């Protein structure tokens, strides 16, 4: 193994692995038929030339961990979509050109995405698509994406699932995409008092 910095496997700083440099035969040397699709950190492994070991080396932006489903129970409190999101790359200087969040299926009247402005990023106006622009550093986009919320302005939102897609485009035009499902519960109106 050539000496490279240890990589934080899951974002908690407790478990680290050694990366393989480009001259190591274990890099891109695993059997793609093994069926292992993510590395120890949850980062996607290459489908055609995965590396041997727990740490798949990639310069692309990796988005993790993400809970698949979020419940929207009432029409009063917006729900956070990515509160635990980590934005990482094996290249610590990787820049992000755009973060785009969109309701890609199941959108209903009143559905709205919004994000809070941060000192480094400005979100677009609330709607079914929100983009973040400004500072290109990964940690700044991570902070901005953690503020993204789903809400519905109607008194009785249409129940059902909405698919929210997050697309992060890096400086080389590489797009990393994750999805999240928002399950909107039916609104139960209290009967009038008699």
């Amino acid at each position: 193994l050539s000496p490279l910095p240890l990589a934080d496997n899951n974002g908690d700083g407790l478990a680290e692995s050694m990366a393989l440099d480009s001259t190591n035969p274990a890099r891109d040397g695993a059997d793609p038929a093994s069926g292992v699709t993510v590395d120890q950190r949850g980062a996607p492994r290459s489908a055609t030339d995965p590396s041997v070991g727990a740490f798949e080396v990639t310069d692309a932006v990796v988005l993790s961990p993400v809970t698949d489903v979020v419940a929207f129970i009432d029409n009063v409190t917006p729900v956070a979509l990515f509160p635990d999101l980590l934005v990482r790359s094996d290249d610590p200087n990787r820049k992000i050109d755009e973060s785009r969040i969109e309701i890609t299926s199941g959108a209903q009247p009143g559905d709205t995405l919004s994000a809070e402005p941060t000192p480094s990023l400005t979100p677009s106006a609330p709607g079914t698509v929100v983009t973040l622009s400004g500072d290109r550093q990964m940690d700044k986009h991570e902070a901005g994406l953690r503020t993204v919320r789903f809400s519905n302005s109607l008194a009785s939102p249409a129940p059902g699932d909405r698919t929210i897609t997050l697309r992060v485009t890096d400086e080389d035009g590489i797009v990393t995409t994750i999805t999240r499902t928002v399950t909107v519960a039916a609104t139960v109106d209290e009967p009038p008092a008699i």
Side-chain angles (χ1 to χ4, degrees):
L1 272 179
S2 300
L4 287 177
L6 294 176
D8 188 357
N9 290 329
N10 60 6
D12 65 7
L14 300 177
E16 295 184 333
S17 293
M18 180 69 71
L20 304 173
D21 79 6
S22 61
T23 63
N24 192 301
R27 185 161 179 183
D28 301 336
D31 179 5
S34 69
V36 179
T37 59
V38 296
D39 72 7
Q40 180 174 322
R41 301 171 298 171
R45 285 199 183 277
S46 168
T48 56
D49 55 358
S51 296
V52 175
F55 180 179
E56 185 75 11
V57 177
T58 177
D59 289 336
V61 173
V62 176
L63 306 170
S64 67
V66 175
T67 307
D68 292 335
V69 178
V70 174
F72 181 72
I73 298 171
D74 60 47
N75 61 337
V76 177
T77 308
V79 63
L81 295 177
F82 308 106
D84 56 351
L85 183 70
L86 298 175
V87 179
R88 301 287 185 267
S89 172
D90 295 330
D91 174 0
N93 298 315
R94 176 72 43 192
K95 302 292 184 223
I96 294 177
D97 282 345
E98 180 184 66
S99 291
R100 177 185 174 93
I101 309 92
E102 180 176 7
I103 303 174
T104 50
S105 72
Q108 297 294 321
D111 287 353
T112 304
L113 300 174
S114 61
E116 296 295 321
T118 69
S120 304
L121 291 172
T122 303
S124 61
T128 57
V129 177
V130 171
T131 59
L132 301 179
S133 61
D135 195 307
R136 297 176 65 213
Q137 294 179 39
M138 288 184 293
D139 62 332
K140 306 302 184 192
H141 278 260
E142 177 181 276
L145 290 167
R146 288 180 176 186
T147 74
V148 176
R149 305 278 188 266
F150 171 87
S151 63
N152 186 291
S153 60
L154 300 180
S156 297
D161 291 345
R162 280 70 153 161
T163 301
I164 313 297
T165 301
L166 165 59
R167 294 172 43 98
V168 173
T169 306
D170 75 9
E171 61 191 308
D172 293 329
I174 299 170
V175 177
T176 304
T177 303
I178 58 172
T179 60
R180 166 144 307 167
T181 300
V182 175
T183 299
V184 177
T187 303
V188 179
D189 293 327
E190 294 293 324
I194 300 180

